[in-house]
Amino acid sequence: MFFMPLIYTKTFTRLFTVFVIVAAFIILDRMGYLNWFLDRFNVVYGQTVHETARVTGSIRQGFQTVFTIKNLARDNAQLSQQVDQLAFENARLKSAGEENVSLRKALDLKQNSEFNLLAVESLTLDPTGFAQQITIDHGQSAGLKLGQPVVVAPGILVGRITRLFADSAEVTLLTDPSTAVNAEVADSGARGLIRGEHGLSLLFDLITQDEVVKSGDSIITSGLSGDLPRGLLIGEITSLQSAGTDLFQKAYVTPAADLRDLRFLFVIQGP
């Protein structure tokens, strides 16, 4: 019981002290003595709040920028993947469309041709044009023979069979230096010999000086040797090489077929 008055005394003292301080602040405020301190406090507090808001806003903006960049990177990756997919689909559809066109041309040739044609497909492809031979997917078992002409639609000569296997065959292209084909100009009938020019072009040689040939003339097989039918398209004259003292005229010929892109072909097995 001795401690109870002491506790009450201490509590009263604290409350009284607080009351006196509060009363003093009220009196000083009424008298205007605290205005300067309040003004300073408001200024410092306002600046602190403003700076805190600015720093907080910068931090928030920084996080938003990071998240925005992350989202843009993700969206860009997704769009890039979609573009790659569309490019792949477009290339696949384009390839399929080109293949369908080639097949339709091949079908028309087989149906309308006067020759006995065997449809074959190239097993090798050299887009550089350096190779002068291709391999086809039929051979002796399909009745193929050496020297038989190989054409593409719509009746363009590309080469002849020079090597046979059981189920495949090698075709030497017109541009090979070993090639020699009797040919003529479709319009004038001027005759000569087509030779390969090491894969670069064709040379129409042994044209007599009295024959009329010019750039743009179409060259076809003449059928004189009997190993090739007459009328197969070979190519078109692009330039002439002739001098008055030469015994024969020469002309350079561009093949009518793209020999770097041969896929669907026909072997002429007979009339």
Side-chain angles (χ1 to χ4, degrees), residues 36-220:
W36 184 87
F37 292 102
L38 291 175
D39 183 57
R40 292 295 89 197
F41 173 78
N42 290 333
V43 171
V44 173
Y45 177 75
Q47 291 177 345
T48 302
V49 171
H50 177 73
E51 186 65 20
T52 302
R54 187 186 67 80
V55 173
T56 304
S58 299
I59 295 174
R60 184 173 63 252
Q61 184 65 32
F63 279 110
Q64 289 178 348
T65 302
V66 171
F67 287 127
T68 300
I69 293 174
K70 183 178 179 181
N71 292 334
L72 288 175
R74 185 188 66 242
D75 294 341
N76 184 64
Q78 292 176 348
L79 289 174
S80 178
Q81 183 178 2
Q82 291 175 0
V83 169
D84 291 342
Q85 181 66 25
L86 289 174
F88 169 76
E89 291 294 335
N90 183 58
R92 186 176 63 83
L93 291 174
K94 183 177 180 182
S95 176
E98 292 175 350
E99 183 174 316
N100 287 335
V101 171
S102 299
L103 286 172
R104 284 196 297 271
K105 289 181 179 179
L107 181 61
D108 291 341
L109 175 63
K110 186 171 179 61
Q111 290 177 342
N112 301 323
S113 176
E114 57 187 279
F115 304 114
N116 180 20
L117 301 178
L118 175 66
V120 297
E121 187 172 351
S122 174
L123 298 177
T124 58
L125 178 64
D126 179 23
T128 65
F130 290 119
Q132 301 306 304
Q133 292 81 27
I134 61 172
T135 302
I136 56 177
D137 62 350
H138 286 69
Q140 287 179 320
S141 61
L144 300 188
K145 298 178 182 179
L146 291 175
Q148 287 181 325
V150 179
V151 300
V152 295
I156 301 172
L157 181 66
V158 298
R160 286 189 285 194
I161 295 176
T162 53
R163 195 174 182 185
L164 280 172
F165 304 95
D167 297 310
S168 64
E170 185 178 88
V171 177
T172 297
L173 302 177
L174 289 176
T175 47
D176 187 83
S178 66
T179 295
V181 176
N182 287 289
E184 64 181 44
V185 176
D187 292 335
S188 67
R191 293 175 177 175
L193 193 68
I194 285 289
R195 301 181 187 276
E197 284 284 288
H198 302 281
L200 301 176
S201 62
L202 301 173
L203 177 65
F204 190 27
D205 199 3
L206 303 179
I207 312 166
T208 59
Q209 288 289 353
D210 60 339
E211 297 283 10
V212 177
V213 293
K214 60 184 184 299
S215 295
D217 282 345
S218 294
I219 306 301
I220 60 174

